[in-house]
Amino acid sequence: MQSQYHTNCPDLTKYMNGSTLEVGCGDGSRVRELRNKGIDAVGIEINPSQINDFVQMGSAEDMPFNDKSYNVVYSVDVLEHLENPLKALSEMFRVSKEYVINSITPTDDTCFMQDPTHKVEWDRERWKREFNEFGEIIDILEPFTLVCRKRRE
């Protein structure tokens, strides 16, 4: 069942410096918008019907990219739909050089119940704890977007 609910994503362009990957990009509309602004953006999507010139096939939990392939890796309304969001988050940090950004609908958001495909029932505090295991949260944008800087190795 496909949800009709969509996350209201804030403007992230101030963090988009260099190569950018959107994970779970759907039809690639946000990728297209970034490309129109001159940002080197591509997407990855598990649904084969969405693949095009700048969207390639792939899973958030097992990305077909080398370590540190992109300056910025982001997703919008993806992690809360996955069986293993921590595996996907680990992959996002693996392929990122600098930032990992995720817009999420947590359970304490009144919109959570509007989407029957949500699987991860974590509130904002749990999401923040999990992100802090991988990187440093440097900004939280409303409605709930975590901007993380990858820890230096």
Side-chain angles (χ1 to χ4, degrees):
M1 177 178 194
Q2 181 66 36
S3 169
Q4 299 304 309
Y5 172 76
H6 297 285
T7 296
N8 181 14
C9 182
D11 182 10
L12 303 174
T13 53
K14 73 179 184 178
Y15 295 104
M16 305 298 181
N17 59 351
S19 60
T20 300
L21 171 68
E22 182 178 1
V23 177
C25 66
D27 66 2
S29 58
R30 283 181 295 270
V31 172
R32 190 176 308 105
E33 287 174 23
L34 291 174
R35 292 170 71 91
N36 289 339
K37 293 178 181 179
I39 296 170
D40 178 20
V42 296
I44 186 173
E45 174 59 45
I46 200 163
N47 182 343
S49 70
Q50 304 294 339
I51 307 311
N52 60 46
D53 291 343
F54 50 87
V55 176
Q56 76 177 60
M57 182 77 179
S59 165
E61 297 173 357
D62 186 24
M63 290 190 228
F65 306 113
N66 293 328
D67 295 356
K68 301 178 185 175
S69 294
Y70 296 93
N71 288 354
V72 180
V73 177
Y74 78 101
S75 71
V76 177
D77 201 22
V78 172
L79 291 177
E80 64 271 33
H81 295 269
L82 302 177
E83 293 293 333
N84 192 344
L86 295 180
K87 174 71 172 126
L89 195 55
S90 174
E91 281 288 280
M92 289 179 191
F93 276 92
R94 180 184 67 77
V95 303
S96 171
K97 292 179 192 172
E98 189 171 3
Y99 294 115
V100 173
I101 304 170
N102 281 268
S103 290
I104 303 165
T105 306
T107 56
D108 47 346
D109 186 315
T110 56
C111 297
F112 185 85
M113 296 310 292
Q114 292 178 21
D115 188 336
T117 65
H118 285 149
K119 294 180 181 180
V120 184
E121 296 184 0
W122 295 349
D123 64 13
R124 291 170 190 255
E125 294 308 311
R126 172 76 186 270
W127 281 110
K128 288 190 268 189
R129 282 195 309 271
E130 298 299 347
F131 271 79
N132 276 322
E133 292 295 317
F134 295 95
E136 173 192 4
I137 297 173
I138 61 169
D139 203 357
I140 301 175
L141 307 170
E142 292 304 323
F144 189 58
T145 298
L146 298 173
V147 180
C148 296
R149 180 176 289 124
K150 185 172 180 169
R151 289 194 180 98
R152 302 293 174 216
E153 298 167 354

